[in-house]
């Protein structure tokens, strides 16, 4: 007798999603742009976690990386500059059953979107946030961004920028009710994938700072860190990113870190010349605003309409 034994059929899912189920069109980023690597690893994560494309949504602001939703065969919202966080918060608030991902760049998040960013951290709504930091405005062709280093020569600072940059990890760790903060790089696929996975698994606002190569306008920016150079450190210890032993061994520099200790995390973030890869901080107990949303409190549609009408009746004349 050939075929699958009937008793095994129960173990097979009704539908299995392949990589092709998440791939839409070829991305139009420049050759060598770090965004390609993140896209590939996110599609792999979606496949490995078997995320239903009809229940997954990617939300972005404006910038090169914010083209991301166009390349995913899921739902997407390519929104206004700096406004990915309120849109994503509204989606998760109303539809807690959806997998929500946010794509934002350094200009999008740390400049025009900074207010929304700070409050999204505090609200701690369950979403996976990827900040692509290439330290430049790439889409609008080479302007100094809030994360550009002192001395950055661009079309807006032709003699070199003069202000110290915003450090996204430091900033995020400084906000009350912060829940998950990690850092990775686009040129190390195993670490990038493991970090995306850890962030996705965390319930709450999972913030990943991704050092992203922009060969078009910031060529050479990360040369001091690629190839496992001296300044790159792998964070090891409890509640970090899960890596194979061989992957860990491939890092020359390692630092033992307790990811539950916010003071230790802030101390690491303040060291300017070192890049730490892994989970800086994780607090699964932080309050999540989406847990207090009407959908999660179990109100029926009729109850919601009745409550809304009651409120509106207060303004009746
Ligand atoms: Fe990527 Fe830079 Fe090209 Fe934008 S300009 S697509 S960030 S390489």
């Amino acid at each position: 007798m050939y075929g699958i034994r009937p008793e095994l059929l129960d173990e097979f899912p009704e539908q299995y999603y392949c990589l092709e189920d998440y791939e839409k069109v070829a991305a139009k980023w420049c050759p060598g742009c770090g965004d390609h690597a993140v896209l590939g690893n996110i599609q792999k994560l979606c496949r490995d976690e078997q995320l239903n494309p009809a229940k997954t949504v990617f939300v972005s602001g404006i910038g090169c990386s914010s083209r991301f939703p166009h390349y995913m065969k899921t739902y997407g919202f390519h929104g206004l500059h700096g406004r990915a966080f309120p849109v994503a918060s509204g989606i998760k608030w109303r539809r807690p059953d959806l997998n929500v991902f946010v794509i934002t760049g350094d200009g999008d998040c740390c400049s025009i979107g900074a207010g929304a960013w700070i409050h999204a951290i505090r609200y701690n709504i369950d979403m996976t946030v990827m900040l692509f930091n290439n330290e430049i405005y790439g889409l609008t062709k080479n302007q100094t961004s809030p994360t550009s280093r002192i001395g950055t020569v661009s079309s807006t600072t032709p003699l070199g920028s003069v202000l110290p940059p915003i450090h996204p990890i430091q900033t995020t760790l400084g906000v009350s009710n912060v829940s998950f903060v990690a850092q990775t790089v686009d040129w190390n696929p195993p670490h990038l994938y493991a970090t995306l996975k850890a962030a996705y698994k965390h319930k709450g606002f999972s913030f990943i700072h991704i050092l992203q190569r922009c060969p078009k306008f910031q060529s050479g920016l990360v040369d001091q860190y690629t190839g496992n150079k001296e300044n790159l450190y792998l964070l090891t210890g409890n509640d970090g990113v899960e890596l194979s032993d061989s992957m860990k061994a491939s890092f020359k520099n390692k630092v033992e870190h307790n990811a539950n200790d916010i003071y230790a995390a802030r101390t690491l973030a303040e060291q300017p010349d070192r890049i730490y890869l892994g989970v800086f901080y994780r607090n699964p107990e932080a309050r999540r605003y989406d847990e207090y949303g009407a959908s999660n409190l179990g109100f029926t549609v009729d109850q919601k309409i009745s409550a809304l009408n009651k409120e509106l009746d207060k303004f009746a004349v």
Side-chain angles (χ1 to χ4, degrees):
M1 185 177 154
Y2 298 99
I4 299 170
R5 294 205 310 274
E7 66 270 23
L8 290 180
L9 282 174
D10 287 345
E11 296 176 15
F12 287 90
E14 277 181 21
Q15 179 159 13
Y16 183 83
Y17 299 107
C18 306
L19 270 182
E20 293 75 25
D21 293 312
Y22 306 99
E23 296 169 345
K24 199 166 185 187
V25 291
K28 288 182 180 167
W29 294 306
C30 303
C33 175
D35 295 0
H36 293 284
V38 184
L39 176 66
N41 277 281
I42 274 287
Q43 287 166 336
K44 186 165 172 279
L45 178 75
C46 288
R47 190 269 320 268
D48 293 349
E49 297 298 324
Q50 284 296 288
L51 302 191
N52 182 344
K55 294 236 171 188
T56 302
V57 56
F58 283 78
V59 183
S60 67
I62 295 295
C64 287
S65 58
S66 287
R67 294 191 56 79
F68 208 98
H70 296 272
Y71 307 138
M72 294 296 300
K73 210 190 281 180
T74 61
Y75 282 98
F77 193 106
H78 187 180
L80 297 174
H81 205 195
R83 297 296 175 265
F85 293 117
V87 172
S89 300
I91 292 170
K92 190 67 182 181
W93 173 265
R94 183 65 189 87
R95 288 290 306 273
D97 57 316
L98 300 185
N99 308 299
V100 178
F101 293 85
V102 171
I103 309 295
T104 182
D106 44 296
D108 190 62
C109 177
C110 307
S111 185
I112 191 169
W117 171 35
I118 300 298
H119 289 286
I121 298 164
R122 176 173 161 257
Y123 272 61
N124 192 32
I125 288 179
D126 186 23
M127 60 184 78
T128 306
V129 177
M130 287 158 268
L131 168 55
F132 293 62
N133 188 1
N134 54 20
E135 303 185 18
I136 203 79
Y137 285 92
L139 187 72
T140 46
K141 311 235 180 300
N142 198 29
Q143 293 85 29
T144 293
S145 95
T147 62
S148 301
R149 295 164 206 203
I150 290 178
T152 298
V153 174
S154 76
S155 55
T156 48
T157 53
L159 299 179
S161 61
V162 294
L163 293 176
I166 283 178
H167 190 306
I169 298 267
Q170 273 182 13
T171 306
T172 308
L173 285 170
V175 178
S176 57
N177 207 36
V178 59
S179 165
F180 181 100
V181 181
Q183 180 160 257
T184 187
V185 293
D186 72 55
W187 59 88
N188 188 323
H191 193 274
L192 172 62
Y193 178 82
T195 309
L196 294 171
K197 184 172 177 176
Y200 167 72
K201 295 279 187 192
H202 178 80
K203 290 287 171 221
F205 186 91
S206 311
F207 180 82
I208 316 165
H209 182 231
I210 304 174
L211 275 70
Q212 180 239 317
R213 291 165 298 170
C214 171
K216 179 77 176 169
F217 296 117
Q218 286 280 42
S219 62
L221 181 74
V222 296
D223 283 358
Q224 60 183 311
Y225 304 122
T226 51
N228 200 19
K229 301 271 173 44
E230 294 297 335
N231 297 343
L232 208 55
Y233 287 75
L234 177 70
L235 294 178
T236 57
N238 72 308
D239 255 352
V241 166
E242 282 183 24
L243 289 174
S244 65
D245 288 343
S246 62
M247 191 59 215
K248 285 182 195 161
S250 71
F251 280 85
K252 194 165 20 175
N253 308 310
K254 300 178 196 67
V255 168
E256 186 81 3
H257 171 60
N258 175 5
N260 305 132
D261 183 345
I262 195 161
Y263 301 106
R266 286 173 179 158
T267 302
L268 289 178
E270 282 168 7
Q271 296 178 18
D273 299 326
R274 290 185 174 188
I275 295 294
Y276 293 102
L277 300 188
V279 179
F280 277 67
Y281 183 62
R282 185 199 300 256
N283 178 13
E285 305 301 324
R287 288 187 169 210
R288 283 172 40 205
Y289 198 62
D290 49 321
E291 287 187 316
Y292 300 92
S295 303
N296 282 330
L297 293 176
F299 291 130
T300 65
V301 172
D302 285 344
Q303 284 173 319
K304 286 182 209 168
I305 292 172
S306 158
L308 189 59
N309 283 335
K310 196 171 159 194
E311 287 304 308
L312 293 174
D313 283 349
K314 291 178 184 170
F315 302 97
V317 288

